[in-house]
Amino acid sequence: MTPFTTLQGKYSNTEHMRQAVELDTVVYNEQFQGILDNCLQWFAKNPEIVTYLLDEQQVIGYISVLPITERLRDALLADEIVDVDIKADDIFAYEDNERYILYFCSVAIHPDYQGTQAFSVLYDAFSASLEELAARGIFFTEVIAEAVTHKGLRLCASLGLPQVALTHDGYTLFRRVLEDGRFPALGRV
């Protein structure tokens, strides 16, 4: 039995988001650490963008994915914007029976929990949230991701996301058109 619990964003509150942004300071370089005001605006627009992993009441991991505009997709692929600067106007609230471009924004696990079953538990909960969206007729036309860590590179590879470019900072951008509208299954990480 796992000591962890998961929480879908629609059942969370702003304290969970605050803890996630705090976790960023432990996992990411400064330029990729979430900005609380921006994240709260995203959350207000679409609380289904995040899946949390908790140990007791503390957020120890999360996955954040954003349904984004074509304009934002193009700006991300052209290396014109860093994801922490995304505005709420560039993401959508999910509507049933619609298709979206999905930006795989961030995955974070506290270093004390890396190498445990934490990622598997978090990813399973994230996958369940995608299945809930699919049951509502919500699918994706493509997925975009930027890997800013070695583990991010491995995750994108395990999802079968093709590399499409390098950013001016040397990070890797990935993009995959989804013929069937479903997020790719996770291979070996």
Side-chain angles (χ1 to χ4, degrees), residues 4-183:
F4 309 122
T5 57
T6 58
L7 183 65
Q8 300 299 331
K10 63 186 174 185
Y11 302 115
S12 69
N13 58 48
T14 57
E15 174 60 17
H16 295 105
M17 184 63 72
R18 187 196 62 71
Q19 289 180 27
V21 169
E22 187 176 297
L23 176 60
D24 281 359
T25 65
V26 178
V27 210
Y28 289 118
N29 293 335
E30 187 174 348
Q31 75 186 90
F32 297 110
Q33 294 172 10
I35 299 168
L36 184 58
D37 287 343
N38 287 355
C39 293
L40 290 174
Q41 289 175 25
W42 301 348
F43 179 75
K45 180 110 178 229
N46 184 345
E48 296 179 271
I49 62 171
V50 64
T51 303
Y52 296 105
L53 180 69
L54 296 98
D55 186 357
E56 300 290 326
Q57 298 299 311
Q58 183 64 38
V59 172
I60 59 162
Y62 71 89
I63 293 176
S64 178
V65 293
L66 308 175
I68 62 171
T69 64
E70 289 180 8
R71 182 176 64 80
L72 179 57
R73 175 208 50 209
D74 295 343
L76 287 163
L77 292 173
D79 194 23
E80 298 171 352
I81 189 169
V82 177
D83 60 11
V84 297
D85 295 324
I86 293 172
K87 302 299 180 207
D89 289 346
D90 283 317
I91 69 170
F92 294 102
Y94 288 125
E95 293 184 25
D96 292 355
N97 304 309
E98 291 292 334
R99 292 184 176 263
Y100 299 94
I101 299 166
L102 194 65
Y103 179 60
F104 207 86
C105 186
S106 185
V107 177
I109 300 283
H110 192 284
D112 291 348
Y113 295 88
Q114 293 179 15
T116 70
Q117 66 189 45
F119 178 77
S120 294
V121 173
L122 175 60
Y123 199 85
D124 287 349
F126 167 69
S127 295
S129 73
L130 292 175
E131 288 302 317
E132 288 178 21
L133 293 175
R136 293 170 42 198
I138 298 169
F139 295 100
F140 305 100
T141 57
E142 60 189 283
V143 62
I144 310 289
E146 179 180 359
V148 299
T149 66
H150 177 70
K151 289 179 180 180
L153 284 169
R154 285 187 20 219
L155 177 59
C156 289
S158 73
L159 291 169
L161 303 180
Q163 296 180 19
V164 294
L166 289 178
T167 68
H168 66 278
D169 290 328
Y171 300 110
T172 308
L173 290 168
F174 296 84
R175 178 182 184 206
R176 180 173 169 186
V177 174
L178 304 174
E179 300 298 329
D180 66 358
R182 292 191 179 265
F183 193 82

